[in-house]
């Protein structure tokens, strides 16, 4: 069989622990037999990040921006314990944080649905994708404990020295205070990413805030989205047969639970943090969530939503064959290959991505899956090791490719 050819390389970011082991197996068993894989390889494993003083992460992020499509393995974000474990020079920053600050985008998270594993919410038939704004609000806050009586004010000092003041509260006793901010530029790029992603997925876009209460702050988000829609995206949405819909966050929550799914739900930073965990859990498992960072410059970075599955890795190091779920990582690869195929006009590569996903879901439908899924599966299920699961996927993929 002739292997499928690629024209532009994918930016490949290798990672840590159990997911690094799965990464190599996915390539060897499920991709390289069929595709003449071209990648620009960056080793983001913690050891190599430390050796390069984290330069490798920055280089990878720049390559991701230059080439446009990248695929990333889960990586360790160091803490004190990891500093000791890996004898690190420094507590390096989260690679995802570094990549996001270079690409400046929005993270879209969507569950992978498969027959036999049913969402807790019975009405959900199609995936719900959460688009989370990744800048500002409570994640960049300034907080203060108020010791006792006094006046709290919001003061903005203009460059020319003029002040704008608002009284927040006249405290009669102790309490707490918090200052948050956001930027028109960041909200605008969030909105662009959401509109573009909705068009590329051909799904409706919902957006929700609490603008009835927050008449300036949240309302700015709403205005930016609505203005951009009217001026730049309305026509394309109408042509694609999709809609943009704004509603209050509490109304959105009620509608989401009653819906069939099949749309993108754009959320402010905190709402997106909370709602994505709710949606992931209600759909089944974190090991079945895909994640893609879409930048306003049109770059795409694909990954799994889960971490490096440390507990399984320690068992692997002891020589045990683990049953770690590779599905979200496989879908990161298929997502990246499909996007590369789309941008380079390579229909064979796109078809390959579809078949890789189909072979994965068919294997689960046939009752072969990792143990975490076997526990959720309604029907006869065999919980197997990652290796056996991937070989079963490989066999189905070979048959589809003939
Ligand atoms: P985790 O790696 O997602 O694992 C948490 C637990 O969830 C696992 O112990 C396992 O439960 C289950 N799980 C997650 N993914 C699974 C899979 N594919 N198959 C089977 N079970 C799975 O989260 P963590 O333990 O909090 O973090 C571990 C490391 O990952 C940390 O160093 C963190 O910095 C890093 N991390 C990286 C990213 C990223 O790169 N995007 C994201 C999150 C965390 P059982 O042990 O009960 O089987
Ligand atoms: Mg969270």
């Amino acid at each position: 069989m002739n292997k499928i050819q690629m024209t532009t390389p994918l930016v490949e970011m290798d990672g840590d622990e159990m997911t690094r082991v799965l990464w190599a197996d996915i390539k060897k068993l499920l991709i390289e037999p069929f595709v003449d894989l071209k990648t620009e390889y960056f080793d983001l494993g913690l050891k190599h990040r430390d050796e390069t003083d984290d330069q490798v992460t920055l280089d990878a992020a720049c390559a991701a921006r230059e080439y446009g499509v990248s695929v990333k393995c889960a990586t360790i974000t160091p803490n004190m314990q990891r500093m000791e474990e890996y004898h690190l020079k420094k507590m390096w920053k989260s690679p995802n944080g570094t990549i996001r600050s270079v690409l400046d985008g929005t993270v879209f998270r969507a569950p992978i649905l498969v027959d036999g594993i049913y969402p807790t919410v019975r009405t959900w038939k199609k995936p719900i994708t959460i688009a989370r704004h990744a800048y500002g609000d409570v994640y960049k806050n300034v907080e203060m404990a108020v010791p006792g009586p006094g006046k709290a004010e919001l003061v903005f000092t203009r460059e020319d020295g003029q002040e704008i003041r608002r009284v927040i509260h006249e405290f009669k006793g102790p309490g707490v205070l918090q200052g948050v901010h956001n930027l028109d530029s960041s909200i605008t790029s969030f909105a662009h990413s959401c509109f573009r992603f909705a068009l590329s997925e051909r799904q409706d876009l919902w957006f929700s805030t609490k603008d009835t209460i927050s008449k300036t702050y949240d309302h700015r988000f709403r205005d930016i989205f609505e203005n951009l829609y009217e001026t730049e995206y309305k026509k394309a949405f109408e042509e694609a047969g999709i809609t943009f819909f704004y509603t209050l966050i509490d109304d959105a929550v009620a509608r989401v639970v009653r819906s069939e799914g099949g749309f993108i739900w754009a959320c402010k930073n905190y709402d997106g943090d909370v709602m994505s965990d709710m949606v992931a859990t209600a759909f089944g498992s974190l090991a079945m969530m895909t994640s893609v960072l879409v930048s306003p410059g049109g770059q795409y970075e694909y990954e799994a939503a889960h971490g490096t599955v440390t507990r399984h890795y320690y068992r692997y190091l002891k020589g045990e064959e683990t049953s770690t779920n590779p599905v979200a990582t496989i879908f990161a690869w298929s997502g990246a290959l499909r996007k590369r195929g789309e941008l380079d006009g390579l229909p064979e590569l796109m078809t390959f991505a579809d078949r890789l996903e189909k072979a994965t879901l068919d294997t689960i439908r046939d009752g072969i899956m990792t143990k975490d899924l076997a526990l959720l599966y309604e029907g006869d299920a065999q919980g197997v090791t990652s290796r056996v699961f991937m070989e079963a996927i490989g066999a189905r993929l070979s048959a589809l490719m003939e």
Side-chain angles (χ1 to χ4, degrees), residues 1-21:
M1 189 185 69
N2 285 334
K3 288 194 190 182
I4 298 163
Q5 296 298 312
M6 295 175 65
T7 46
T8 317
L10 277 181
V11 174
E12 175 186 356
M13 307 183 200
D14 207 345
D16 287 299
E17 299 193 314
M18 207 57 223
T19 39
R20 187 182 179 98
V21 176

Side-chain angles (χ1 to χ4, degrees), residues 217-381:
Y217 196 107
D218 277 21
H219 205 82
R220 179 66 61 89
F221 280 78
R222 178 179 179 170
D223 281 345
I224 288 176
F225 266 75
E226 287 183 341
N227 286 338
L228 217 54
Y229 178 71
E230 289 300 325
T231 54
E232 293 190 33
Y233 291 99
K234 194 172 179 183
K235 193 159 166 278
F237 266 55
E238 283 169 1
E239 278 166 13
I242 58 175
T243 55
F244 167 61
F245 167 60
Y246 176 85
T247 188
L248 278 176
I249 178 84
D250 31 2
D251 180 50
V253 169
R255 285 172 187 261
V256 164
V257 171
R258 286 196 308 262
S259 77
E260 276 201 355
F263 54 87
I264 297 154
W265 182 12
C267 292
K268 287 179 60 200
N269 210 347
Y270 173 80
D271 299 342
D273 187 357
V274 176
M275 291 307 156
S276 68
D277 278 8
M278 197 242 344
V279 167
T281 309
F283 268 111
S285 148
L286 202 57
M288 297 291 277
M289 281 300 267
T290 60
S291 184
V292 55
L293 174 73
V294 181
S295 80
Q299 290 93 350
Y300 294 76
E301 186 233 350
Y302 292 83
E303 61 171 349
H306 59 77
T308 59
V309 212
T310 310
R311 289 209 292 168
H312 293 215
Y313 183 60
Y314 292 155
R315 294 211 298 270
Y316 166 85
L317 288 180
K318 285 188 203 145
E320 206 181 301
E321 280 261 7
T322 71
S323 182
T324 316
N325 190 340
V327 172
T329 307
I330 294 172
F331 274 63
W333 275 99
S334 58
L337 290 168
R338 183 186 295 110
K339 183 55 76 177
R340 198 63 274 170
E342 187 188 314
L343 296 176
D344 291 349
L346 301 171
E348 279 197 327
L349 196 58
M350 296 170 74
T351 306
F352 171 76
D354 293 343
R355 288 178 178 164
L356 174 55
E357 291 178 2
K358 181 172 169 16
T360 304
L361 299 179
D362 284 350
T363 305
I364 299 171
R365 251 177 237 126
D366 291 343
I368 303 168
M369 62 200 80
T370 46
K371 286 180 185 157
D372 58 311
L373 291 183
L375 287 172
L376 301 170
Y377 194 75
E378 294 182 24
D380 282 335

Side-chain angles (χ1 to χ4, degrees), residues 191-199 205 225 228-229 233 237 244:
H192 275 299
S193 296
C194 291
F195 287 124
R196 289 203 191 125
F197 192 71
L199 285 169
L205 177 66
F225 266 75
L228 217 54
Y229 178 71
Y233 291 99
F237 266 55
F244 167 61

